Amino acid sequence: MRYNKSLVLYTLVILLVSCGASLSSIKKTTDEFEGHTIDRMYSNYLSGGIPILDDATIELNVSRFESKLENVSYDLIVRYSGEGWLFISEGNSLILLIDGESYSFTGDGSSSSRKVIMGSVVQEFAFYQTDTDMINKIANAQVVKVKIKGSNGAKERHFSKANFDNFKKFANSHIY
């Protein structure tokens, strides 16, 4: 029996995510030509969903962009990967329920950041401006629930201890 290596890897990631594991990292990139720096979290996989019924993985990452003029901005970045498109909507398509209080984030959706990974497995990115207060609020919350809305439905996930640890690590290292 032949196995598609990509499909096996994708299935392994889904299993790790469903168990609450988060393999997050933070990478710094500097563009010497444009003079800006980006500190960006990767692979902050959210918990929830049932792998057999909902095989999508969802990450909620954060980035810090500093221009050559030392202007700083922050974004929450949603990465959806799964079988079939979610088509993350423009507008208020990211909702966080932080310790029972609802916060909506407005973005351009994923229309410019969609690609097919293999077969029917697709990936979408959506960016939402935020600020240091919100990053700290997320990092220091007790409970965070996440809802991403798309034209093909919505996906809900929640933070595990690892997700809180990842946000705290980012906040402690990249909020000045």
Side-chain angles (χ1 to χ4, degrees):
M1 180 187 289
R2 284 184 56 189
Y3 292 99
N4 181 323
K5 289 181 184 177
S6 298
L7 186 58
V8 171
L9 180 60
Y10 182 72
T11 303
L12 181 60
V13 168
I14 289 171
L15 290 173
L16 285 172
V17 170
S18 67
C19 295
S22 187
L23 310 170
S24 175
S25 64
I26 299 171
K27 296 180 184 169
K28 178 188 239 29
T29 56
T30 302
D31 186 325
E32 295 176 31
F33 296 97
E34 299 293 325
H36 64 258
T37 301
I38 300 172
D39 297 297
R40 186 170 178 185
M41 179 190 294
Y42 291 89
S43 303
N44 188 41
Y45 293 100
L46 300 179
S47 295
I50 302 169
I52 296 169
L53 301 175
D54 180 5
D55 59 355
T57 60
I58 297 174
E59 300 172 36
L60 183 63
N61 298 302
V62 63
S63 71
R64 178 183 186 279
F65 177 90
E66 184 173 352
S67 73
K68 64 182 173 187
L69 301 175
E70 297 184 8
N71 295 326
V72 176
S73 62
Y74 294 87
D75 287 303
L76 293 174
I77 305 166
V78 169
R79 180 179 156 203
Y80 161 85
S81 300
E83 295 235 8
W85 298 105
L86 182 57
F87 293 121
I88 300 171
S89 303
E90 183 177 346
N92 292 333
S93 54
L94 173 63
I95 301 167
L96 300 182
L97 196 57
I98 303 171
D99 293 334
E101 192 169 341
S102 183
Y103 298 89
S104 291
F105 297 84
T106 302
D108 293 335
S110 65
S111 62
S112 63
S113 301
R114 296 178 183 146
K115 67 180 178 178
V116 175
I117 302 298
M118 60 169 200
S120 62
V121 178
V122 299
Q123 186 174 78
E124 303 179 38
F125 287 90
F127 295 78
Y128 304 87
Q129 273 196 317
T130 192
D131 58 31
T132 57
D133 290 340
M134 181 55 64
I135 295 167
N136 282 317
K137 184 179 294 259
I138 294 168
N140 294 303
Q142 297 298 309
V143 176
V144 173
K145 296 180 181 179
V146 178
K147 184 174 189 173
I148 298 115
K149 298 189 294 186
S151 61
N152 278 349
K155 300 287 183 183
E156 295 182 18
R157 297 292 188 269
H158 60 270
F159 269 40
S160 67
K161 181 183 180 324
N163 300 123
F164 287 112
D165 291 346
N166 294 336
F167 262 75
K168 286 177 186 170
K169 180 180 173 186
F170 187 92
N172 290 336
S173 301
H174 296 93
I175 295 178
Y176 309 124

